């Protein structure tokens, strides 16, 4: 089967949507499919700052659809899959062409409408600003593209049950969770024993923004260190310096904070092998791969009920699943850091859950989907 996968994200094997396309394309190719993957760099976006910004915020689907049409011969494939509705003009053109055409698959990494609700809510609370440009252009346009992508596709793939419920009346929707990265899955086969890790070391991988629940982290750390003064927080992948983030924390906690703007995969595995608890206080997630990947290394998780956690974790069994507030997260951190038996029990059960999200499981889902639907019409209400 010939499969064309079109991602609007930068080409990054370690980054979000792009990571899924890398792992999926390798898995499908290993099963004998012919897979062509394109990323943002392949569409010839403008290089000037202002023209590029206008295209990305207002005209991205039109621009990259034209680029994909001229450079990839999408009509010669059995399946064309694209993310976030950003290829809906291409899908519409292929549908209107008449005669045989590829199966058109819209891939939702996480519906942007929920990110929009969170960002505007956090702004209203005074936690993070939401610019006029975001309110008037960026958020509405991304929502618009997403729904049009679902309408133009034959079938849409979602990664969580919230999105499945929201979109189920709009077309044929299939739920396929993503996978723990294969290198991390292999690396987590043998881990540092849970009782030999740095006492009270909490790890968090995430950008410092409203959607990730960043505003609630300083309060949670303050509560933890009041109960366990030796506790430390390591934040990786923020893209910011220690000085930029330390100002948000209580002066008493700033020396207990380590900020790593960039984290290699090797360093990621090292940190996960030495830490006890993983913090994941996100307010909106399509899935949140950082969470199961950390849990695969035996970290006991404190998470909010979004994405992976909402669908696959149970509070007190394989994670602490609590509302994303400083008070709730802080109390859960105190419990897991100070109760060794509970922490190790939750960590062991969580690791079993997380390690079941294998690349083979994910590739099986897409392979079945493509095989079932390619070559036959699919009714979209």
């Amino acid at each position: 089967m010939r499969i064309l996968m079109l991602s609007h994200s930068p080409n990054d094997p370690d980054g979000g949507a792009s990571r899924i396309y890398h792992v999926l394309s390798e898995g499908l190719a290993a099963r004998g499919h012919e897979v062509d993957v394109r990323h943002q760099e392949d569409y010839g976006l403008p290089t000037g700052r202002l023209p590029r910004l206008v295209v990305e915020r207002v005209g991205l689907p039109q621009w990259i659809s034209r680029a994909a049409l001229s450079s990839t011969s999408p009509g010669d494939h059995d399946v064309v899959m694209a993310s976030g509705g950003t290829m809906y003009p291409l899908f519409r053109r292929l549908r209107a062409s008449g005669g045989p055409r590829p199966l058109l698959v819209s891939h939702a990494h996480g519906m942007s409408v929920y990110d929009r609700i969170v960002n505007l809510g956090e702004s209203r609370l005074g936690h993070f600003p939401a610019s006029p440009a975001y309110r008037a252009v960026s958020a509405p346009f991304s929502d618009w593209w997403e729904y049009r992508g679902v309408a133009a596709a034959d079938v849409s793939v979602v990664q969580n049950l919230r999105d499945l419920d929201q979109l189920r009346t709009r077309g044929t929707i299939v739920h396929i969770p993503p996978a723990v990265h294969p290198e991390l899955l292999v690396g987590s086969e043998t881990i540092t024993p849970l009782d030999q890790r740095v006492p009270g070391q909490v790890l968090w991988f995430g950008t410092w923004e409203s959607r990730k629940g960043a505003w609630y982290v300083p309060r949670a750390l303050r509560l933890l260190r009041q109960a366990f003064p030796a506790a430390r927080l390591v934040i990786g992948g923020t893209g910011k310096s220690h000085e930029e983030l330390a100002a948000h924390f209580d002066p008493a906690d700033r020396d207990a904070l380590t900020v790593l703007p960039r984290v290699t995969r090797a360093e990621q595995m090292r940190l996960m092998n030495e830490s006890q608890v993983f913090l994941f206080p996100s307010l909106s997630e399509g899935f949140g791969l950082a969470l199961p990947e950390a849990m695969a290394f035996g970290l006991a998780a404190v998470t909010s009920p979004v994405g992976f956690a909402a669908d696959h974790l149970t509070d007190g069994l394989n994670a602490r699943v609590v509302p994303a507030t400083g008070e709730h997260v802080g109390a859960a951190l105190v419990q897991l850091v100070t109760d060794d038996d509970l922490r190790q029990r939750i960590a062991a059960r969580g690791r079993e859950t997380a390690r079941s999200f294998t690349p083979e499981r994910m590739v099986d889902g897409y392979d079945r989907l493509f095989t079932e639907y390619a070559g036959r019409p699919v009714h979209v209400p």
Side-chain angles (χ1 to χ4, degrees):
M1 189 178 297
R2 297 192 66 196
I3 302 168
L4 175 62
M5 301 171 64
L6 302 168
S7 171
H8 65 291
S9 301
N11 188 355
D12 181 3
D14 291 323
S18 181
R19 172 189 287 197
I20 292 170
Y21 276 43
H22 276 275
V23 174
L24 178 58
S25 62
E26 291 169 7
L28 290 170
R31 298 186 180 197
H33 299 292
E34 183 181 337
V35 185
D36 184 6
V37 185
R38 304 298 173 96
H39 294 273
Q40 186 184 97
E41 295 85 347
D42 299 312
Y43 306 128
L45 294 179
T47 55
R49 182 179 179 277
L50 183 57
R52 187 184 185 95
L53 190 63
V54 170
V55 168
E56 289 180 339
R57 297 292 186 266
V58 178
L60 188 64
Q62 291 75 19
W63 184 288
I64 64 179
S65 288
R66 284 195 299 268
L69 186 64
S70 64
S71 64
T72 62
S73 301
D76 295 337
H77 293 78
D78 300 298
V79 177
V80 177
M81 184 170 84
S83 295
T86 51
M87 289 288 172
Y88 81 84
L90 174 64
F91 282 15
R92 286 179 172 179
R93 180 161 180 169
L94 291 170
R95 291 179 74 95
S97 62
R101 62 168 176 81
L103 173 72
L104 305 176
V105 181
S106 181
H107 191 272
H109 295 278
M111 291 186 65
S112 61
V113 65
Y114 293 108
D115 294 349
R116 181 184 183 185
I117 291 169
V118 163
N119 291 334
L120 295 181
E122 289 293 283
S123 176
R124 181 68 182 86
L125 291 167
H127 299 167
F128 281 84
S131 70
Y134 175 81
R135 294 172 183 272
V137 179
S138 300
F141 270 86
S142 60
D143 291 351
W144 191 73
W145 300 340
E146 202 159 60
Y147 283 113
R148 277 153 183 77
V150 172
D154 296 313
V155 59
S156 296
V157 176
V158 297
Q159 298 184 153
N160 64 67
L161 297 178
R162 177 197 64 184
D163 291 355
L164 176 67
D165 187 62
Q166 176 64 22
L167 293 173
R168 60 188 172 81
T169 61
R170 293 177 175 264
T172 302
I173 313 297
V174 177
H175 173 229
I176 305 176
V180 171
H181 192 281
E183 186 175 330
L184 297 178
L185 202 61
V186 171
S188 67
E189 290 177 356
T190 303
I191 61 173
T192 300
L194 304 182
D195 60 354
Q196 296 179 23
R197 303 189 179 198
V198 179
Q201 180 160 303
V202 178
L203 182 63
W204 177 39
F205 293 134
T207 50
W208 189 265
E209 60 177 319
S210 58
R211 182 173 69 86
K212 296 294 184 178
W215 193 85
Y216 305 95
V217 173
R219 174 60 177 164
L221 181 61
R222 181 84 292 265
L223 292 172
L224 173 59
R225 283 176 46 77
Q226 286 175 343
F228 192 87
R232 298 190 55 81
L233 173 63
V234 180
I235 307 177
T238 65
K240 296 184 180 296
S241 67
H242 182 277
E243 291 72 23
E244 289 177 289
L245 294 193
H248 296 277
F249 289 78
D250 189 285
D253 298 327
R254 292 171 186 172
D255 289 341
L257 181 68
T258 299
V259 179
L260 304 171
R262 300 285 184 271
V263 180
T264 65
R265 195 175 296 154
E267 190 167 21
Q268 180 183 0
M269 289 191 280
R270 178 185 65 78
L271 290 169
M272 291 190 296
N273 264 311
E274 69 178 29
S275 302
Q276 290 187 327
V277 177
F278 190 73
L279 177 61
F280 201 76
S282 291
L283 300 171
S284 178
E285 289 285 348
F287 192 75
L289 277 167
L291 178 57
E293 289 176 346
M295 292 172 62
F297 279 79
L299 282 84
V302 174
T303 179
S304 52
V306 297
F308 171 79
D311 296 347
H312 305 287
L313 301 182
T314 301
D315 183 38
L317 178 66
N318 47 14
R320 283 303 326 275
V321 184
V322 298
T325 74
E327 301 296 325
H328 289 92
V329 172
L333 288 174
V334 169
Q335 184 186 38
L336 290 186
V337 167
T338 59
D339 189 332
D340 293 344
D341 290 340
L342 176 65
R343 183 181 65 251
Q344 294 193 29
R345 185 165 64 250
I346 283 179
R349 290 171 176 165
R351 182 167 180 255
E352 182 179 357
T353 300
R355 283 180 51 79
S356 71
F357 287 83
T358 64
E360 290 76 16
R361 172 178 173 171
M362 179 180 73
V363 175
D364 280 345
Y366 285 93
D367 205 357
R368 285 195 302 268
L369 170 69
F370 296 162
T371 301
E372 178 181 358
Y373 287 111
R376 70 177 179 87
V378 181
H379 173 64
V380 180

